[in-house]
Amino acid sequence: MKYAPSTISLCLLLFFGQGFSGMLLPWAAFAAESTVAKSEDEQRLDTIRYGTETEIAALIQTLKSERTGALQSKSEHTLDDALIGITQNTRNQQILSGVLSFFGDQDKTGLEQRAIKAIEEREDEANETVMAAIEYLGKVKAVDAFGPLEKLLDAQEQGFMGVAFRALGRVASGGSAQDKDDTAAYLVDFYTNRNPPDTSRRDIILALGETGSQAGVSLLIEIAEDNQERGGLRMVALEGLAKIGDSSGLDAILQALSSTDPNVRSTAVAALGPFSGKSVDDAILESFRDSYYRTRIGAASAAGTRKLTEAIPYLQYRAERDEVPAVRDEAIKALGAIGTAEAQAILERLFVERKHPNQIRIRAAAMLLLNDPGAYTEKVITELDDAKKTNQTSLYNSLLGVLSEAKTGKVEDLVRRFLHSGGVIEKSYALDMILRNELRSLAPEVRPLMTDEKNTGLARKARNILEHFGLE
C-alpha cells in the first residue's frame, strides 16, 4: 500500500510531537523564566557582582545623584553592603577609589579597615587608591586611623603628606580630648622640629586648627602675628584660632586687622565670630567700611555668628546697596542668623519688593522660612505662583527649592496640588516636602508614583518615602 507524502508527513509529526513534548515543555518554561525582567535593584546588584570597573563606576555616579541625604532605603543598604563586599579583596584602582570616594561623600562607615589596609600595604596599591583611602578615613573621622596616619607621615613620602595631615586633623576632631591634645602635640613637633617642606607647612597648620586643641594655640599665634610670614599661612593660622576659640588668640586676630594684606584682614575679621567683648564688636562694625569686598563679607559673617544686633543697620545697607553680590548675599544670611523682629522685617521687605534682584529675594525667602516658616510659607507660595504666571522659570524653580526645605505643615495644600497636576520636578519637590514634614496623610497619593515607569527616579523616591513611613 502506498501512502501520499502528505499523509507520511502528518504521521511523522504526530509521532515525534508525542516524543518531544516532555522535552519541549521544560525548555519552554526555562526560556520564559530566563526572559523575566529583573528589577532595577537586582540588575544593580548584578553589576556590582559581575560588572567591569567602568560599569561599576557608572553605577556609583548614578547612586551619588540619587541619594537624598539621611533617608536610605533597604535596597540602598543592600547595594552598599555589596559595594563593601567587593572592596575587601579587589585591588582594582578604579573600583576601590570610586567606592571609597562614594562612601566618604556620604560620611558612611564600613570601609575603615580596608582603607587602613590600603595605607599599610601601599606598595601594592595604586597611588590614587591610597589617596582615596586617606581622604575617606578623614571624612568619617575613623579613630582607628591615628596610628596608620602618623606612621605614614613619619615615612615622609611627599606624595601623601598633604592629604594625610588634613585627614589626621579631621580624625582628631572626632576623637576624645586626649586624642585632640596628642594629635596637636604631634603636629607642633613635626612643624618645629622636622623641617617640613613649604608644601606641608600649610597643611600642618590647617590640621592643627581642625583638632580644636589648646595645645596648638601658641604656634598658631606665633604665625598669625608674624608680618614677615606668607599671607596664606597667616590666614590658615587665623582660621585655626577661630576654630579653637581660645581667648588667648584674640589679640593676634585683632592685630591682623591692620595688616596691609587685604586677604589677611578679611580672614581676621571673619575669625572674630566666636569671640566677645566691645573691642570685638567695634572691630566688626569698622570692617564694614573696608574697601576690600572680602573684608565686608568677613564682617557680615562674624556679625551673624555673634548675632550682633548693633550690626543690623550695616547689614541692611550692605544687603540693599553693596556693589558685590557676594557681600549682599552674606549680609542677608547674617540678618537671618540674628533673627530679631527688626532683622525679619528687613528680610521681608527684601523678599516681597519685586524690584530687588531674584538672588536677593531667594536668599531672603530662605532666611524667613528658616526662622519662622509658619508666618511666611503662604507669602512665598504666593510669589511662587506669580513667578509661574509670569514665566520666571529660574525664580520659580529656586523658590520651589526654598519651600522644599521649609519645616511646616502649611505646605500640604501645595504638595497635594503638585501630586495631582504637577510636572516631574514639582512632584519630586513635593516628595521632599512630604518627607521633611512627615505628611503621612498624603501616603495614598504618593503610592501611585511608585508605578511610574517613565520616571524611575521619582518612583524610587516615592517607594523610599513609603518605606520610611512603614507603609511598604
Side-chain angles (χ1 to χ4, degrees), residues 59-278:
L59 173 60
I60 288 173
Q61 289 302 315
T62 300
L63 295 176
K64 282 183 178 181
S65 67
E66 290 176 356
R67 294 293 165 96
T68 58
L71 179 63
Q72 194 170 3
S73 68
K74 292 179 181 177
S75 62
E76 288 173 341
H77 282 297
T78 301
L79 291 173
D80 286 352
D81 290 342
L83 287 171
I84 291 174
I86 65 169
T87 64
Q88 299 309 305
N89 297 310
T90 184
R91 292 191 184 275
N92 184 293
Q93 178 265 317
Q94 190 170 356
I95 292 175
L96 270 175
S97 299
V99 178
L100 286 165
S101 173
F102 176 48
F103 274 48
D105 290 343
Q106 297 183 92
D107 294 326
K108 184 176 180 63
T109 57
L111 293 175
E112 293 90 334
Q113 294 308 310
R114 183 62 183 92
I116 289 172
K117 179 182 178 183
I119 294 173
E120 293 177 337
E121 300 178 6
R122 55 189 176 277
E123 296 83 2
D124 300 323
E125 303 279 9
N127 284 351
E128 292 82 356
T129 300
V130 180
M131 296 284 280
I134 296 169
E135 290 179 347
Y136 171 77
L137 292 169
K139 287 178 178 177
V140 300
K141 301 179 181 179
V143 294
D144 290 341
F146 283 113
L149 288 174
E150 289 183 2
K151 287 180 181 178
L152 176 63
L153 290 167
D154 290 341
Q156 298 201 36
E157 297 180 36
Q158 295 300 318
F160 301 130
M161 290 183 72
V163 65
F165 278 125
R166 295 192 295 274
L168 184 62
R170 293 193 190 104
V171 171
S173 70
S176 66
Q178 189 63 52
D179 290 333
K180 299 176 194 293
D181 291 343
D182 289 346
T183 302
Y186 174 85
L187 293 168
V188 170
D189 176 74
F190 206 112
Y191 190 93
T192 57
N193 298 321
R194 303 199 200 182
N195 193 29
D198 287 345
T199 53
S200 294
R201 293 174 71 206
R202 183 182 184 278
D203 293 314
I204 294 173
I205 298 304
L206 182 65
L208 200 55
E210 288 283 351
T211 67
S213 170
Q214 293 180 342
V217 170
S218 296
L219 179 57
L220 295 176
I221 290 173
E222 179 184 333
I223 295 170
E225 290 180 339
D226 188 355
N227 290 322
Q228 304 305 313
E229 186 57 84
R230 289 177 301 157
L233 200 61
R234 293 183 70 192
M235 291 163 64
V236 175
L238 290 164
E239 290 170 350
L241 290 172
K243 287 180 179 178
I244 296 171
D246 189 82
S247 59
S248 62
L250 177 57
D251 287 343
I253 297 174
L254 291 172
Q255 179 180 317
L257 289 171
S258 59
S259 172
T260 57
D261 185 333
N263 290 302
V264 172
R265 292 199 308 273
S266 64
T267 304
V269 67
L272 290 172
F275 300 93
S276 60
K278 188 176 186 305

